[in-house]
Amino acid sequence: MGQRATREMIVATADDLFYRRGFDHTSFADIATAVGISRGNFYHHFKSKDDILEAVIMKRLADRAGMTARWERQAPDPAGRIESFIDLLLVNGEKIREHGCPIGTLASELAKLAHPAQPDAVRLFTLFREWLAIQFSALGQVEKADQLALELLSRSQGAATLYNAFQDRDFLAREVAAMKFWLRDVATAEAAHSTPH
């Protein structure tokens, strides 16, 4: 592998291990072994685990930005784009059942560790918060856009946490359906409000 490919492999592997095992329980050696490179080659790319963590967070931010851009291309209206965000719970259902939400678990772990990268991990939530607020604004909910974005983020995180705890797929399906019903209610209420009487 070339230098760039090796670095990308290290980051992708660390991303997976940090998610499945946790940042604190993943060592340099764990990542090097999983990638299949020597410790010396590993240190050529990253000097510390914190350096890898920073690269993992940057990768996750880029991945999520790419995801929201794809939703914008695929869904012609803001309600459809927001539904794509809600459906992420089902798309990632098995991973969430086994390991929880990748964003929530990392932010929580780094907060418990009082790790200096914790604010960077929160940027993953901020990315979705700001993107959802833009979609709610496009739905006509300009004044309440951020409030609605936070409400939906809160509901999705709660659903992910409880699904991970109770392992109940029917519960997750009901929560996704309830969020979509809530979204239709929000969109319908705004449409009724904006219709001239």
Side-chain angles (χ1 to χ4, degrees):
M1 283 191 294
Q3 295 293 327
R4 182 183 179 120
T6 301
R7 181 184 171 87
E8 288 175 355
M9 178 69 78
I10 291 169
V11 174
T13 302
D15 186 5
D16 178 61
L17 290 173
F18 289 170
Y19 178 39
R20 291 191 292 110
R21 296 185 185 178
F23 170 74
D24 201 33
H25 291 102
T26 302
S27 68
F28 251 36
D30 293 332
I31 301 166
T33 300
V35 175
I37 61 174
S38 68
R39 292 286 290 272
N41 194 6
F42 192 95
Y43 283 110
H44 174 73
H45 295 280
F46 294 99
K47 304 302 182 207
S48 71
K49 200 165 78 164
D50 285 352
D51 289 343
I52 302 173
L53 176 62
E54 181 183 353
V56 164
I57 292 171
M58 292 303 107
K59 176 187 181 301
R60 290 188 183 188
L61 282 166
D63 289 348
R64 272 58 179 189
M67 184 184 296
T68 55
R70 188 171 65 251
W71 292 340
E72 288 177 19
R73 289 192 303 271
Q74 292 172 346
D77 61 279
R81 295 170 197 150
I82 296 168
E83 283 199 3
S84 295
F85 170 81
I86 296 170
D87 282 334
L88 202 54
L89 286 165
L90 297 176
V91 171
N92 291 336
E94 281 309 296
K95 290 180 181 177
I96 292 169
R97 183 180 63 78
E98 293 179 12
H99 308 293
C101 168
I103 298 174
T105 53
L106 182 64
S108 294
E109 181 183 11
L110 295 182
K112 281 188 275 187
L113 294 170
H115 195 284
Q118 198 266 343
D120 292 329
V122 172
R123 287 171 58 197
L124 291 157
F125 278 131
T126 303
L127 184 151
F128 278 132
R129 175 182 181 174
E130 292 175 349
W131 182 82
L132 285 168
I134 290 168
Q135 306 314 313
F136 281 115
S137 290
L139 265 182
Q141 294 280 3
V142 179
E143 291 182 10
K144 294 171 65 178
D146 185 60
Q147 176 186 328
L148 292 167
L150 276 176
E151 183 173 347
L152 185 55
L153 266 176
S154 173
R155 291 183 70 163
S156 66
Q157 279 298 297
T161 300
L162 290 176
Y163 179 49
N164 177 250
F166 293 118
Q167 313 273 302
D168 184 345
R169 181 78 180 185
D170 289 340
F171 160 77
L172 188 66
R174 288 195 304 272
E175 284 301 297
V176 165
M179 282 182 246
K180 289 185 177 181
F181 184 82
W182 168 83
L183 174 60
R184 284 192 291 274
D185 202 36
V186 168
T188 303
E190 178 52 33
H193 177 73
S194 59
T195 302
H197 296 287

